[in-house]
């Protein structure tokens, strides 16, 4: 589908909304019009997503005229803010699935429950986080130069009940968003204070058990909030996951997000067995069960500890914020994707290790002023991050290492500065221009001297947006910008294959440019309905692809995506909400090649829909549908995955006493489908030395039921 066709489709779909929305003929009432920079920023009304206004983000310029959206203002049609209350109404089987509240986002899992999720957004197989930046309270979740893949973002330590808000941004249009944010950026924040203490106990299918206790208390001039979580799980697998997860949260906070201080400590450990993707041919001939594994010793363990701080001050004219963090994390991961292809005697299992310390700082300062007589806001900021990383790759047999393929000590530093200006031209038109500069530098000390070295790179990325809303409760958006993602630092210094130490290997750029643009419309012209349509294009100078038989991500060819997203949320009553999200993307490599131009793993169509019912007490429930479209598995498009369609549900009752009883059902119709599919060559014990090219898949778990008892105090 061509760009012009998509643009005309956007206009055709938006026209009925525009045609039915008449301009407001009456003059503005007193106080309406552009914001006075000498006055406090007005408070936005709650959004249809249930956002309560408790945000770590600085308030944006708003217009109180009746023409604007009755919601927190956004800078693009695809931007959203979703409250933790709304997020926690959705039935989820693992913490990362909370992110599926992002329209068009699929969160999957192709291995054990302690490994980072697999993400799909805007026609991209984002592997474990490439080009999807995820933050929690100002701390980056994505890991650079990671043992299992660039941008690895593990959210298994997330405690859903503590989440206060998620801010969703898509595309490289935002000056404050940095590495990995080209497809999207998700910023989650934990609550400073819980209204009630709560204890939660959950048990269910396949040995799932979870216990959570959380609460807040006054402490000095502020509030102390603590939470602890324990989870165990086996799953339907022939060899159980044997998951053992321990999670802790402690925060001291004073004031609020506009004027306050918070100090937070997090601790998380996890160990698990994993059933990775399996060859379809073995399941078809009956030699392997659907929930079996070829190598039954795969798995891993991880830990993450962090200490973070947030300080903020604001008044009528300025707003300042400083975030600082320190993170220590480790990962040991054992995988065998090709079984006996490379080593017929010992098998192909390998260990990937990652041990790192991260320190960082984010600071911003906002100034409200006038510019050429117009109300304006200017924000300047900086972001600094340093990673000290020990990363290794080893051949193993049943988790015992017998050969070192490579081990590297990496130091990686990034420094960014950015500025953006918002100008309110009149009561229905505003513009945003911004620019950021990112400087990366680092060193690799490799056990293969030829792969050691120093490298640095700099990119400047301008951004621009135009937002106008001359029609009743309807706004139009034009967004464009340059972005980037970083590559693994080891790939920027490599000269020889670490396996044989002699074969020449070409290095890759440290920073890879992305370019994006979006045209959109968002309307609330129909009472209770929040609807948005966005048409986008996204280009990369180099695509990051997951290589199934190597177990890591590699820089690949340039690519382009053209897509359209339609997002709808309808709340006819305070206790009833309906949502429907549709996303279609055409993803192609843009350079000529005999291999073809299809991007492996790139989904064309993603859809979701849901019904959520219930109030503070009494009956409540939810029913959700999730559709994950077919993906090409090879570049010539000759092999495709099957689509996946899953239904999940929730039903429960909240008593006046604070007691809650709840039952969640996952994969209600027991659909036999795939969480993920790959196509590559592997070898089973009875096969020839060349192996067999085949589809490899990780199945969706069968019907699961989980029962929860919770009590608020």
């Amino acid at each position: 589908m061509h760009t012009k066709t998509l643009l005309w489709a956007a206009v055709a779909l938006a026209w009925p909304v525009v045609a039915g929305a008449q301009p407001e003929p009456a003059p503005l009432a007193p106080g309406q019009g552009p914001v006075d920079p000498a006055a406090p920023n007005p408070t936005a009304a709650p959004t249809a997503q249930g956002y309560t206004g408790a945000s770590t983000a600085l308030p944006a310029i708003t217009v109180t005229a009746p023409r604007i959206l009755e919601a927190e203002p956004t800078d693009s049609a695809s931007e959203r803010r979703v409250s933790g209350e709304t997020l926690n109404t959705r039935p989820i089987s693992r913490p990362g699935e909370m992110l599926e509240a992002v329209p068009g986002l699929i969160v999957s899992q192709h291995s054990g429950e302690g490994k980072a999720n697999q993400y799909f957004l805007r026609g991209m197989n984002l592997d474990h986080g490439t080009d999807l930046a995820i933050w929690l309270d100002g701390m980056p979740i994505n890991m650079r130069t990671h043992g299992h893949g660039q941008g690895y973002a593990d959210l298994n330590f997330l405690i859903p009940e503590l989440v206060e808000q998620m801010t969703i941004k898509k595309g490289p249009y935002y000056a404050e968003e940095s590495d990995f944010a080209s497809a999207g950026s998700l910023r989650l924040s934990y609550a400073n204070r819980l209204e009630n203490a709560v204890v939660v106990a959950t048990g269910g299918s396949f040995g799932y058990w979870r216990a959570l206790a959380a609460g807040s208390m006054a402490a000095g001039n502020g509030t102390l909030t603590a939470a602890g979580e324990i989870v165990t799980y086996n799953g339907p697998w022939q060899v159980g996951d044997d998951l053992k997860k321990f999670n802790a949260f402690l925060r001291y906070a004073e004031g609020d997000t506009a004027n306050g201080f918070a100090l937070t400590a997090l601790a998380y450990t996890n160990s698990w067995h994993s059933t990775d993707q399996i060859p379809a041919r073995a399941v078809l001939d009956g030699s392997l069960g659907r929930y079996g594994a070829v190598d039954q010793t795969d798995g891993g363990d991880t830990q993450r500890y962090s200490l973070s701080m947030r300080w903020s001050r604001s008044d009528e004219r300025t707003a300042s914020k400083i975030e600082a963090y320190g993170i220590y994390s480790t990962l040991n991961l054992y995988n065998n994707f090709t079984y006996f292809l490379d080593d017929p005697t010992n098998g192909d299992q390998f260990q990937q290790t990652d041990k790192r310390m991260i320190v960082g700082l984010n600071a911003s300062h906002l100034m409200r002023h006038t510019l050429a007589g117009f109300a304006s806001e200017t924000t300047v900021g900086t972001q600094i991050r340093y990673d000290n990383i020990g990363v290794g790759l080893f051949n193993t047999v049943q988790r015992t290492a017998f050969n070192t393929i490579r081990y590297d000590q990496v130091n990686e530093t990034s420094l960014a500065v950015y500025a953006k200006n918002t100008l309110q031209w009149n009561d229905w038109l505003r513009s945003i221009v911004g620019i950021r500069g990112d400087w990366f530098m680092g060193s690799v000390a490799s056990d293969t001297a030829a792969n050691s070295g120093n490298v640095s790179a700099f990119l400047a990325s301008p951004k621009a947006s135009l937002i106008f809303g001359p029609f009743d409760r309807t706004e139009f958006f034009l967004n464009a910008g340059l972005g980037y993602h970083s590559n693994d630092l080891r790939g920027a210094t490599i000269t020889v294959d670490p396996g044989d130490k002699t074969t020449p290997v070409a290095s890759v750029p440290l920073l890879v440019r992305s370019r994006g643009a979006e045209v959109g419309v968002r309307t609330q012209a129909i009472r209770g309905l929040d609807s948005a349509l966005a048409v986008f294009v996204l280009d990369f100078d180099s695509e990051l692809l997951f290589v199934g038989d190597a177990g890591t991500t590699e820089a690949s060819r340039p690519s382009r995506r053209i897509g359209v997203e339609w997002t709808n949320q309808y709340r006819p009553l305070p206790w009833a909400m309906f949502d429907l999200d549709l996303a279609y993307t055409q993803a192609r490599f843009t350079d000529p090649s005999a291999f073809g131009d299809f991007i492996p793993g790139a989904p064309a169509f993603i859809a979701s829909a849901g019904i959520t019912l219930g109030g503070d007490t009494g009956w409540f429930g939810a029913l959700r549908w999730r559709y994950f479209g077919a993906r090409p598995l090879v570049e010539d498009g000759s092999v495709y995955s099957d689509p996946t369609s899953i239904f999940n549900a929730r039903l429960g009752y909240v008593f006046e006493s604070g007691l809650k009883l709840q039952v969640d059902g996952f994969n209600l119709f027991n659909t036999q489908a795939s969480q993920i599919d790959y196509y590559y060559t592997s070898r089973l014990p009875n096969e020839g030395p060349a192996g067999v090219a085949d589809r490899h898949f990780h199945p969706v778990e069968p019907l699961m039921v989980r029962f929860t008892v919770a009590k608020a105090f």
Side-chain angles (χ1 to χ4, degrees), residues 613-669:
L613 305 173
D616 293 335
T617 58
W619 289 100
F620 65 92
L623 176 65
R624 299 213 56 82
W625 169 65
R626 166 206 193 247
Y627 182 84
F628 185 21
R631 290 87 61 200
L633 302 182
V634 291
E635 290 172 274
D636 64 6
S638 60
V639 182
Y640 263 76
S641 71
D642 291 327
T644 298
S645 181
I646 299 295
F647 287 85
N648 299 327
R650 168 174 292 175
L651 181 65
Y653 192 89
V654 179
F655 295 87
E656 296 283 353
S657 64
L659 177 67
K660 180 171 75 172
L661 304 178
Q662 173 182 301
V663 57
D664 290 341
F666 304 97
N667 192 7
L668 292 181
F669 300 106

Side-chain angles (χ1 to χ4, degrees), residues 464-488:
S465 297
L466 188 66
I467 302 99
F468 54 99
F471 304 104
D472 186 29
R473 293 184 297 277
T474 299
E475 285 190 326
F476 295 84
F477 303 85
L478 301 173
N479 311 96
L482 303 184
Y484 73 97
H485 66 234
S486 64
N487 276 329
D488 192 309

Side-chain angles (χ1 to χ4, degrees), residues 336-624:
N336 186 347
F337 299 135
T338 53
Y339 320 124
F340 295 94
L341 180 65
D342 298 323
D343 189 336
T345 303
N346 298 307
D348 298 349
Q349 189 185 73
F350 56 91
Q351 178 187 10
Q352 295 166 314
T353 66
D354 189 280
K355 181 178 181 180
R356 71 179 62 211
M357 294 183 63
I358 308 173
V359 292
L361 175 73
N362 310 314
S364 65
H365 181 67
L366 177 147
M367 298 160 285
R368 300 185 180 98
H369 56 94
T370 58
L371 183 62
F374 297 100
S376 180
E377 284 183 350
T378 298
T379 301
V380 294
T382 185
Q383 297 159 345
I384 305 169
R385 173 174 170 177
Y386 168 73
D387 291 57
N388 182 288
I389 314 161
V391 58
L393 179 62
F394 311 90
N395 294 120
T396 56
V397 175
Q398 298 182 1
R399 301 197 188 190
T400 300
F402 66 88
N403 176 55
T404 300
I405 301 173
R406 71 178 300 173
Y407 184 83
D408 304 90
Q409 189 65 40
V410 180
N411 290 283
E412 186 166 0
T413 302
S414 66
L415 170 63
V417 292
Y418 66 90
K420 70 172 183 177
N421 174 264
T422 302
L423 191 62
Q424 193 77 44
W425 296 92
N426 55 38
D427 63 335
W428 54 266
L429 175 66
R430 70 184 187 274
S431 62
I432 303 171
V433 293
I435 189 168
R436 66 177 291 124
D438 289 273
W439 180 54
F440 279 60
M441 67 175 183
S443 63
V444 176
S446 178
D447 59 357
T448 301
N451 289 334
S452 299
N454 302 303
V455 66
S456 64
F458 174 82
L459 282 179
S461 305
K463 329 273 185 175
S465 297
L466 188 66
I467 302 99
F468 54 99
F471 304 104
D472 186 29
R473 293 184 297 277
T474 299
E475 285 190 326
F476 295 84
F477 303 85
L478 301 173
N479 311 96
L482 303 184
Y484 73 97
H485 66 234
S486 64
N487 276 329
D488 192 309
L489 196 68
R490 295 170 297 172
T493 63
I494 194 170
T495 61
V496 297
D497 187 330
D500 61 22
K501 318 296 182 184
T502 58
T503 303
V505 176
S507 62
V508 298
L510 180 56
L511 301 181
V512 175
R513 172 65 75 198
S514 65
R515 301 168 183 84
E518 181 174 311
V519 179
V521 58
R522 182 181 177 193
T523 183
Q524 295 170 352
I526 299 175
R527 186 172 184 83
L529 175 65
D530 191 338
S531 182
L533 182 74
V535 178
F536 68 89
V537 59
L538 182 61
D539 290 355
F540 287 92
D541 286 351
S542 174
E543 181 87 7
L544 275 176
L545 288 182
F546 180 77
V547 182
D549 54 1
T552 189
T553 49
E554 293 182 1
S556 182
R557 301 156 55 190
S559 62
R560 165 168 288 185
R561 288 167 173 83
I562 300 174
V564 58
E565 295 175 335
W566 188 33
T567 302
N568 301 275
Q569 195 168 86
Y570 180 53
R571 193 186 292 270
L573 296 166
W575 50 267
M577 184 176 70
F578 304 85
D579 61 87
L580 171 66
D581 301 325
L582 306 175
Y584 175 82
T585 307
Q586 183 189 75
R588 296 291 188 269
F589 288 119
T590 55
D591 63 337
S593 172
F595 293 104
D597 62 355
F598 288 86
I599 301 176
F605 185 60
I606 289 173
S608 65
I611 303 171
T612 305
L613 305 173
D616 293 335
T617 58
W619 289 100
F620 65 92
L623 176 65
R624 299 213 56 82

